[in-house]
Every structure is written in structure tokens, then in C-alpha cells.
Amino acid sequence: MKQHANNEGIRLKNWSTGEVLYDTLHSTSNVKALNCRSTICTANHMNTIKEVKPIRTGDAVLDDAKKFIDEFYASIEKFGSAEHLNRWSEIKTQIEESDGYIMKTEELKYGATVAWRNAPRCPGRIQWKKLQVFDSRHVGTAQGMFEAMCTHLQYATNGGILRSAITVFPPRQKGRCDFRVWNSTMIGYACYKQPDGTLLGDPFNLELTQAAQKLGWAGKGTRQDILPLIVQAGDGEAHFFDIPEDLVLQVPLRHPKYEKFTDLGYKWFALPGVSCLKLDCGGLEFSAIPFSGWYSDSEIGSRDLGDKHRFNLAPVMAGIMGLNTETNESNWRDLAVSELVVAVAHSFREAKITIVDHQTAFTKRRPSETFIEHSKSEHEERGGCPTDWVWVNPPGSFTTPVYHQEVLFYWIKPLYDYQDQPWKTYNFGKHFRGTLEKREIDYLKRFRHMARAALFAQRMFMKAYANRTKAHVFSKAFKPESMHGSNQIILARFVLE
């Protein structure tokens, strides 16, 4: 890649087709997302976990807010209008008074959709204009967060015809804890460490499962238990909620050729929902923004099922196929993973669940070709398309046009950014003490009510006993013990009456 001589931008060539694009959009980026130096490139680093930074104040908010609101009014063709200028005056006053401001719903929706458009690691953002934005900034409790996420799941799942959606909770704010969703994905499978050290379930979620257990959650102990949603509202207390079964659509995995794979009984959830990111928009940071779209077949087949550090089903499938796993010369892993992808695509199609694959019903073209078209359109419309080459290329990508496409990796705002893992800094000891104190208080309340009831019953008994009608029973065969027993019965009868 090289800078074009006529300052048209950075030249990007597709080495398969020979087509050339020029990126000028990168010049608008002021986000330092990479630690590249003159002699070292770190673009291939995952960088999916970041440290918590202080909440922005003053000029840091003001500068981003100004740029954002200008872009918003330009998008609706009202840049420089009285409405635009008055709105900026309102925002500026709020920031000067509180280091923040309240976005209007239409501004938030614009920011959330453009953030998806700007996401360099998402190959499916051609659909960015169709994103459904649920404004949940009014929610103030963990219970409210859970209910909003259930609404999201129901809308997005849509009986298998998946719809992209995002739910936005309140932004970071001085004087309160950040709203957070602990789950990396809205739906995920738990992982249990067995006594012999082996893992049962999805190793990706081992730490989250252990955190959930510390909070008091107990799963069934199977290899595909659905994890609860773990959320924190402004009070900072973590709460877990089991997702209703009718909101979790799962697809039984079957292979069209290898019945033994079907007999394994694996399944996968239909809706991929990333819930650990934050939305950096207009100077504000929305730290809880569960987002969902749809899967690509290779994402499940190759990564989730095939990777060694996940379910590691490649050796299992290879055994079913009768491949020699003792040597790499048989290419058993490549062949097995390909069949896992076939199983996923077949299962989702049979269940009529939305999935992006080489036979996609939406375009009748490969997703990579769709992305290529989107990239061309973006260069024409706004001068660039930020792209992380590593992430947009699926496994086996050497057969697709994206593999041969030069790209530029940069970040521009609004953007979806990574955050820390909240359970690593959460004070579980405080949580336990708080829970025990609450239990003790509840116990004392119940004991006090029981004591009052017992005292009342005792008083009523003594009053009835004092007013009882005395009687003696004489039997023909007089015996003290029979008299005593009869007297007890009569006394009891009169007291009860």
C-alpha cells in the first residue's frame, strides 16, 4: 500500500480483481486503538480487554459532543440551521454544568447505527441502517435491565427470522457505578471444572461460570447449560437472572451424511448477542449495550465447535469420518472442521433459522462478496471503510475476494469499544456480607412475627383457661388415672369450645 500521488488517499488494491480504491476517511480518526510503532505492527493483537478509565469531563466531552452533533444535523440535512445551533447551545450548557448531557432519542439511534457502520471487525455491517435501537436509559435497576434484555431477545429472535438490535442502558456518570452486563454474549454455555481437572462445557465461559457460582447460581452440570444474565445497575450490586427457556432458541446440530454426529446431541443457540462492549458516542460512554445480529456458519463450526480451546469437536468429527488423526499429513483437522461447518449450515437451514453462509437467502452470494460490495459503496459515499483484515476473513478465506483485498484498520467515532471484565474487580466478599446481612434481617423479621403470634396465642389460651367450665367425670370403676385422662379430655373440650 502507498499514498496516492494526487492526495486522493491511501491506495488499496484487490490482488485478485485488480480493482483499486482510495481511503481518505482514515484522516478523520483521532482514536489511538493500536500500539504500532515504526518497526513493529500490532494490528493482529486481539485487544479485546481494556482497563477502566476515569469518566470523561470538561473539554473531552465538549469536543466529541460538538463533532457528533454536527455530523448528526448534517445527516438530516439541517447543518447550520437554527435548530442545530439551538441544540448545540443546550448541550454546551449541560456539559458546563454537569460534565455531561442528555441525548435525544433520535441522536442516540443515529449514534448507535453509525457505530455499527464504523465497526472495523464486523463483516455484516452492510445492514447497519436496519439496526433496531431500544432506548433503555430510563432503567435504573438490575431487574429492569433483565426485563429490557428479555424484550430484546424476544424481538431479535423473532421465531428464527433474526433481526439486528441493540439495547442502550444509562451512560457512565459521576457519582454512581457503571451499568454493566457481565456476559460476553447474551446467551452462552456454562463451563464446569471437574475434580480431575477436565472441563465440561464451553471453556470460553469458565471464569464467568465461576463468577456466577460465587453469586449463588447453580447450574445443572451438563455440557450445555445456559448461563444466567449477570447485570449491574447504578448501585454496583451484581445480580443474576435465569433466562426464560422460551426466549432461548437452540438448534439441534445434525449432519446430512454422518448420523453418528447427530447422535452426539449437540446444539447451538440461534442468536449471537455481544453484551460486553460499550458505545463511545458524542463524548458519552454507554457501558451496557447488548447487541445482536446473526451468525455465519464458519463462526460456529470452525471457532465455537472446532477450536481446541472451545468444544474441540474436530477430533470427534475426524473419528466419525474415519480419518487418521495420528498424522497431520491426512489433513484430518481441516476436513473435520469443514464438515462441522456443513453440519451447522444444514441444521440452521433445516430449522429455518437465519444464518449467513455460502447459500445465503438474502443475496445468493458469498458474505465476503457482499462485504466487498459494501466496502466499494462506502469508499464512494464517504471515502473509506475501516476494516480489520484478520476479523473479516472467515476460515478458509483464501477462496474469497476479501483474502486478496488490501484494507486499512482504524477506528472512528461513534464506535463500539472493549471494556474490562467486571467480575475480576468485583468485591464478592462485600456481596456475600451484604447477602448474609439481608438474610439475617429477614430472619429476625420472621422471628419477631412468630414471637408476636406465639405471645398472642398464649394470652388467648390463658384467658380461655381461666374462664373454663370445670367438670369431673366419675366412672363406675374409679381409677385415678382414668379420671385424670377423662378430666383432660373434658378440659380440652371446654377450652377449645
Side-chain angles (χ1 to χ4, degrees), residues 83 201 210 482:
E83 180 183 339
Q210 293 172 337
S482 63

Side-chain angles (χ1 to χ4, degrees), residues 36-74:
C36 296
R37 299 189 291 274
S38 59
T39 57
I40 299 175
C41 176
T42 63
N44 291 336
H45 283 196
M46 295 288 284
N47 294 321
T48 55
I49 301 174
K50 293 188 176 182
E51 296 181 355
V52 182
K53 294 183 178 180
I55 297 174
R56 294 183 187 134
T57 59
D59 291 342
V61 180
L62 202 64
D63 292 344
D64 279 0
K66 181 65 167 65
K67 183 178 179 181
F68 170 74
I69 208 65
D70 287 349
E71 290 178 356
F72 169 72
Y73 276 97

Side-chain angles (χ1 to χ4, degrees), residues 354-478:
T354 303
I355 191 168
V356 176
D357 63 281
H358 291 180
Q359 303 296 327
T360 176
F362 295 104
T363 63
K364 301 297 183 184
R365 292 165 294 197
R366 296 180 179 179
S368 59
E369 293 175 343
T370 303
F371 178 76
I372 287 290
E373 293 176 0
H374 171 67
S375 179
K376 291 179 183 178
S377 175
E378 287 288 86
H379 279 82
E380 292 174 3
E381 185 173 339
R382 61 173 187 162
C385 182
T387 304
D388 186 341
W389 187 93
V390 175
W391 282 64
V392 300
N393 273 281
S397 60
F398 54 87
T399 63
T400 69
V402 175
Y403 182 84
H404 304 282
Q405 178 64 55
E406 294 179 336
V407 298
L408 286 185
F409 180 22
Y410 54 93
W411 301 86
I412 53 178
K413 296 180 182 181
L415 63 84
Y416 297 133
D417 203 359
Y418 298 104
Q419 303 185 92
D420 64 307
Q421 295 174 319
W423 63 83
K424 291 191 173 181
T425 55
Y426 185 72
N427 188 344
F428 287 96
K430 175 183 178 182
H431 176 86
F432 291 147
R433 286 195 297 274
T435 303
L436 290 173
E437 288 171 3
K438 183 178 184 302
R439 289 176 179 172
E440 290 169 357
I441 291 172
D442 290 343
Y443 173 78
L444 290 174
K445 287 180 179 179
R446 290 195 300 271
F447 179 79
R448 184 169 58 193
H449 294 322
M450 292 172 64
R452 287 176 176 174
L455 182 60
F456 176 77
Q458 182 187 30
R459 288 173 179 171
M460 294 298 293
F461 176 81
M462 294 304 296
K463 183 178 180 180
Y465 184 79
N467 297 328
R468 76 189 186 282
T469 300
K470 297 181 180 179
H472 293 280
V473 177
F474 296 95
S475 81
K476 192 173 183 180
F478 176 79

Side-chain angles (χ1 to χ4, degrees), residues 133-180:
V133 181
F134 291 106
D135 185 355
S136 293
R137 290 176 294 167
H138 61 280
V139 172
T141 64
Q143 178 68 36
M145 293 179 70
F146 170 66
E147 292 173 358
M149 292 179 71
C150 286
T151 299
H152 179 135
L153 288 171
Q154 185 176 36
Y155 170 86
T157 302
N158 191 34
I161 310 301
L162 307 186
R163 297 182 288 196
S164 56
I166 184 172
T167 298
V168 182
F169 293 109
R172 301 183 72 194
Q173 181 177 305
K174 291 190 300 182
R176 73 177 180 201
C177 296
D178 293 346
F179 282 69
R180 294 297 303 271

Side-chain angles (χ1 to χ4, degrees), residues 140-278:
T141 64
Q143 178 68 36
M145 293 179 70
F146 170 66
E147 292 173 358
M149 292 179 71
C150 286
T151 299
H152 179 135
L153 288 171
Q154 185 176 36
Y155 170 86
T157 302
N158 191 34
I161 310 301
L162 307 186
R163 297 182 288 196
S164 56
I166 184 172
T167 298
V168 182
F169 293 109
R172 301 183 72 194
Q173 181 177 305
K174 291 190 300 182
R176 73 177 180 201
C177 296
D178 293 346
F179 282 69
R180 294 297 303 271
V181 179
W182 285 22
N183 309 63
S184 295
T185 56
M186 295 176 72
I187 301 173
Y189 295 117
C191 181
Y192 307 100
K193 193 167 187 177
Q194 305 301 295
D196 62 358
T198 59
L199 300 179
L200 177 66
D202 189 349
F204 179 78
N205 289 320
L206 176 60
E207 287 188 12
L208 182 62
T209 302
Q210 293 172 337
Q213 290 171 328
K214 288 181 180 180
L215 294 174
W217 179 76
K220 297 177 182 178
T222 72
R223 69 185 180 190
Q224 288 190 300
D225 285 352
I226 297 294
L227 280 164
L229 288 173
I230 306 177
V231 297
Q232 285 177 281
D235 60 3
E237 288 294 324
H239 299 267
F240 69 86
F241 300 89
D242 287 313
I243 307 174
E245 291 185 5
D246 62 330
L247 294 181
V248 182
L249 180 59
Q250 298 187 81
V251 182
L253 298 180
R254 302 186 299 115
H255 195 284
K257 179 180 178 182
Y258 299 104
E259 292 185 4
K260 288 185 177 180
F261 176 80
T262 304
D263 294 340
L264 295 176
Y266 279 91
K267 54 192 173 183
W268 204 261
F269 50 92
L271 184 72
V274 180
S275 49
C276 58
L277 302 178
K278 71 176 180 181

